[in-house]
Amino acid sequence: NAGVMQNPRHLVRRRGQEARLRCSPMKGHSHVYWYRQLPEEGLKFMVYLQKENIIDESGMPKERFSAEFPKEGPSILRIQQVVRGDSAAYFCASSPVQVLNEKLFFGSGTQLSVL
Amino acid sequence: GQQLNQSPQSMFIQEGEDVSMNCTSSSIFNTWLWYKQDPGEGPVLLIALYKAGELTSNGRLTAQFGITRKDSFLNISASIPSDVGIYFCAGSGLIQGAQKLVFGQGTRLTINP
């Protein structure tokens, strides 16, 4: 049973470029959550998606950030025109149901570095 | 935004010592979770707590869900080198009309052999 797969593990972008982070949930999981972690801090909620639907994007910056979870394929977190402050670890988590408990599994994250 | 206060921020202990860390919140949660994060990896769940007053063990780890539902602690007994890492508490509950998971700032555990 493959776990939550995120790629790439490391992504380097120059200021102004676009960053695309991918997350394939565990098999059978239709709920995906994205979190951001700054150095020395905990994880901060960004967005919660189900297949083809954004359920809660209250933690996502209004500009430059978008997320999708299409019917087929991985969930994508997209950051346009990246700035240095976007440098962080981005974690995806998936669950089979709409609850946040022991059924939530995290991927290994994508470390985004903006030069 | 919603915050959990986790303490201590860091701990430096000798191998074999017991460890205790806790989390407090101004809000009520219906689930408390404790995670461990190794460098370059995502958080891995250690213990989940669902009822006020619940005391749960997982090997050398013991965690409790506070009676007020606003706090939780995690104890590690007889620490070993592989316990090194960052431990996060997380509270799950209804926040502003939506089910959310809120994380503490983490406790970084360092063990001297």
Side-chain angles (χ1 to χ4, degrees):
Chain A
N1 236 354
V4 178
M5 303 300 292
Q6 287 189 250
N7 68 82
R9 288 295 307 271
H10 302 274
L11 182 60
V12 180
R13 285 286 177 267
R14 296 192 180 279
R15 279 179 295 168
Q17 291 184 319
E18 179 180 287
R20 278 182 180 246
L21 289 61
R22 294 176 199 78
C23 169
S24 296
M26 283 182 72
K27 189 176 180 180
H29 288 195
S30 58
H31 300 254
V32 166
Y33 303 80
W34 284 93
Y35 289 83
R36 176 164 63 176
Q37 185 179 32
L38 295 170
E40 309 297 320
E41 292 188 13
L43 282 74
K44 297 283 194 297
F45 168 78
M46 297 181 73
V47 62
Y48 162 41
L49 311 105
Q50 292 178 34
K51 286 280 187 183
E52 300 184 278
N53 282 308
I54 297 174
I55 308 301
D56 180 358
E57 56 183 348
S58 59
M60 197 130 82
K62 296 277 187 285
E63 297 177 352
R64 302 187 299 109
F65 285 72
S66 62
E68 62 176 12
F69 189 15
K71 188 176 179 182
E72 301 290 339
S75 175
I76 306 285
L77 179 67
R78 184 181 175 209
I79 312 173
Q80 294 177 289
Q81 299 174 315
V82 295
V83 300
R84 289 227 172 101
D86 296 333
S87 296
Y90 291 83
F91 290 96
C92 166
S94 74
S95 69
V97 293
Q98 189 189 349
V99 288
L100 295 169
N101 53 25
E102 83 279 9
K103 292 185 173 61
L104 186 70
F105 294 88
F106 283 86
S108 298
T110 294
Q111 181 66 51
L112 173 65
S113 299
V114 180
L115 305 178
Chain B
Q2 196 69 22
Q3 276 200 323
L4 294 185
N5 295 311
Q6 187 172 348
S7 66
Q9 284 191 328
S10 57
M11 302 184 74
F12 297 85
I13 62 168
Q14 296 294 124
E15 184 178 350
E17 286 185 20
D18 296 343
V19 172
S20 185
M21 60 191 79
N22 68 79
C23 247
T24 59
S25 171
S26 56
S27 301
I28 289 173
F29 290 108
N30 49 41
T31 302
W32 280 93
L33 306 168
W34 283 92
Y35 289 88
K36 183 184 180 221
Q37 185 178 30
D38 291 325
E41 297 296 330
V44 174
L45 183 69
L46 299 173
I47 291 181
L49 302 155
Y50 295 99
K51 290 192 296 191
E54 179 181 355
L55 185 72
T56 296
S57 292
N58 178 8
R60 293 178 295 107
L61 277 60
T62 302
Q64 184 157 31
F65 193 148
I67 293 288
T68 64
R69 295 168 65 192
K70 293 182 178 181
D71 63 311
S72 177
F73 72 73
L74 175 71
N75 287 343
I76 306 172
S77 63
S79 58
I80 59 178
S82 62
D83 291 334
V84 165
I86 305 176
Y87 292 80
F88 290 99
C89 63
S92 175
L94 208 58
I95 298 166
Q96 295 174 331
Q99 191 74 14
K100 284 200 169 62
L101 189 65
V102 180
F103 281 83
Q105 308 97 312
T107 294
R108 184 180 295 272
L109 180 62
T110 302
I111 298 176
N112 298 317

